[in-house]
Amino acid sequence: MEQRRIEGKSHWYHETQSNARTPDVLPLVPEAAHVEDRFLLDLPISEDALFPFQSWLHPARRLAHILFPSHAHQYQMNTFSDYERMSTALTVAQVCGVQRLCNHYAARLAPLPGPDSSRESNHRLAQITQYARQLASSPVVIDARARQHLDDVGLTVWDSVLLNQIVGFVGFQARVVAVFQAFLGQPVRWVPGLDMQPFAPALPFATAEATWHPAHVAAEFPMASEQSRRQPGAELQWLAPVLAHHPDLLSRLSTLITSSLRTEVPQNASGLATLLTARINGSVACFNEQAQRSPEFTGFIATLRQEEREIQQWEQRHPVERITLQAIQWLTRAPNRFSDAHFGALSGHDLSSEQAINLLSWCGLCGWLNRLKIALGDTH
């Protein structure tokens, strides 16, 4: 039976199995594909206003080009296609609900030839889409079985690492765009049917000694060991040997971690953000690592190990901290609902607008790291 290739989707809600469409199908907003800034997607903000954030905007923009090139080179170990990259990005954008991202990735996906209509191709794309949606919306459900499903449809270790990096990056991008839109005072546009991400279950956080172990072998080429030794941050200490399957991505991620996202924010605020995002997303390893570095938060850490109700009660008793925690929660759990009211409350509370943007963007980066830890290993 002859295999046929079809064109992409005409809108940014897409399915894994495609129906035949005319070759000149266009997305809802075709011009969204043509932007100068592949990271902020041409938000109407001046370069002067963006100047204080260049230490992390530059590597973020570079990552957008590395992850989504004009044409990705495929070979035996890297089998992820252009269509699979863009389809994954669109899936994450849909979960986050930030319309600017949905329009952009839908417009870039539309002209790409889809996979052939064989059962194997459809099953592979279905598994990739389901995995990306779960990791983006409820990362705690990702486990060894989910990783095995990717292996069963032919994804290599290189492919799996790339897939997880795409999910993490687009989630980070969505939250940064949401922050800058709130900074600009743009109205929030809710996407119908999107639920707020729930807190992860509390039980795994009861064990303070739990540690992380990689599920994949380290990269087997000379650059891996050299790249791993160069990592300055504790966040990448154990992840680096696995992420070194894609050394360019690892290098830029390392630059983001050591940028002004953290250095230009009060240490106590970044510590709170790291702990709370890890608790929401279910990354026990990230939570325990930060808890060991934050003895000043002993009482709050004990509360975070409990259920959401206890956390809310703690917030009610600490109105000063509550302002920061509420902004972090809204951005982490529902970036499509993060508004200028959340941003204004935070930036008017002992933080400048510049510090608030760095802190909130750091939350987005923490979410990326949380998902990498959950997806690429297990905590025991």
Side-chain angles (χ1 to χ4, degrees):
M1 180 178 178
E2 182 182 357
Q3 294 182 340
R4 57 185 172 83
R5 302 187 73 84
I6 55 87
E7 296 298 320
K9 304 295 166 282
S10 62
H11 48 74
W12 52 257
Y13 283 109
H14 74 289
E15 299 178 3
T16 56
Q17 294 186 356
S18 303
N19 297 320
R21 295 181 183 272
T22 56
D24 59 347
V25 165
L26 292 175
L28 288 177
V29 191
E31 64 273 14
H34 308 292
V35 294
E36 293 184 11
D37 187 343
R38 290 281 183 87
F39 183 65
L40 293 181
L41 307 181
D42 288 356
L43 271 170
I45 182 170
S46 69
E47 285 301 316
D48 288 342
L50 293 176
F51 181 77
F53 313 110
Q54 291 306 312
S55 70
W56 56 271
L57 282 178
H58 178 73
R61 286 164 170 156
R62 182 58 188 151
L63 278 164
H65 286 273
I66 296 173
L67 287 168
F68 309 111
S70 320
H71 177 67
H73 178 59
Q74 292 176 260
Y75 51 93
Q76 184 178 5
M77 299 310 297
N78 278 319
T79 70
F80 226 58
S81 68
D82 293 326
Y83 188 92
E84 288 167 340
R85 288 179 186 233
M86 209 59 66
S87 174
T88 300
L90 178 54
T91 296
V92 180
Q94 291 173 1
V95 169
C96 296
V98 178
Q99 191 173 26
R100 185 176 291 268
L101 263 73
C102 296
N103 290 340
H104 174 73
Y105 288 116
R108 294 186 64 185
L109 176 66
L112 297 177
D116 60 62
S117 57
S118 67
R119 180 178 180 181
E120 292 77 11
S121 294
N122 282 331
H123 184 46
R124 173 180 165 113
L125 187 56
Q127 288 296 332
I128 291 172
T129 303
Q130 175 178 293
Y131 180 94
R133 181 174 290 113
Q134 289 177 333
L135 183 57
S137 62
S138 185
V140 72
V141 305
I142 298 297
D143 54 14
R145 183 179 181 184
R147 291 190 289 268
Q148 184 60 49
H149 287 163
L150 295 181
D151 183 66
D152 292 342
V153 295
L155 267 67
T156 66
V157 176
W158 276 260
D159 295 333
S160 295
V161 172
L162 177 62
L163 169 59
N164 288 297
Q165 288 280 41
I166 289 174
V167 173
F169 171 79
V170 177
F172 169 63
Q173 181 186 22
R175 287 166 175 84
V176 171
V177 169
V179 169
F180 276 109
Q181 287 181 160
F183 168 72
L184 293 171
Q186 295 185 357
V188 171
R189 298 177 179 178
W190 289 14
V191 177
L194 287 184
D195 296 326
M196 178 181 289
Q197 179 183 333
F199 266 77
L203 184 59
F205 289 87
T207 307
E209 296 79 19
T211 56
W212 185 84
H213 304 275
H216 300 288
V217 296
E220 296 179 356
F221 48 88
M223 183 175 290
S225 58
E226 179 184 354
Q227 187 75 33
S228 301
R229 286 195 300 267
R230 287 205 303 259
Q231 301 315 310
E235 292 82 2
L236 292 178
Q237 181 179 359
W238 304 109
L239 277 168
V242 178
L243 296 181
H245 286 88
H246 294 274
D248 285 348
L249 300 179
L250 172 59
S251 176
R252 267 67 182 192
L253 179 56
S254 175
T255 303
L256 285 174
I257 291 172
T258 57
S259 70
S260 62
L261 280 177
R262 170 180 277 178
T263 59
E264 298 301 321
V265 173
Q267 186 175 357
N268 62 333
S270 65
L272 283 174
T274 304
L275 288 166
L276 186 54
T277 52
R279 175 63 184 86
I280 293 170
N281 291 320
S283 179
V284 179
C286 293
F287 184 91
N288 285 343
E289 289 167 9
Q290 181 61 40
Q292 293 175 1
R293 298 192 293 266
S294 305
E296 69 275 17
F297 296 136
T298 302
F300 182 55
I301 290 169
T303 301
L304 284 176
R305 295 188 185 279
Q306 302 178 51
E307 299 290 346
E308 181 181 359
R309 181 176 59 183
E310 282 73 20
I311 297 172
Q312 291 176 344
Q313 291 174 351
W314 189 94
E315 288 182 7
Q316 294 296 335
R317 297 192 301 269
H318 298 79
V320 175
E321 292 84 354
R322 187 173 188 270
I323 295 173
T324 302
L325 298 179
Q326 282 291 299
I328 294 169
Q329 286 190 59
W330 277 103
L331 185 65
T332 302
R333 302 175 66 185
N336 63 313
R337 303 185 194 181
F338 188 81
S339 69
D340 56 342
H342 301 116
F343 182 85
L346 181 62
S347 60
H349 173 65
D350 295 335
L351 291 178
S352 65
S353 294
E354 180 181 325
Q355 288 176 319
I357 289 172
N358 280 322
L359 174 63
L360 293 167
S361 300
W362 171 253
C363 295
L365 182 57
C366 287
W368 183 353
L369 295 171
N370 296 160
R371 287 169 171 80
L372 289 178
K373 276 288 181 72
I374 292 170
L376 296 175
D378 299 295
T379 303
H380 305 291

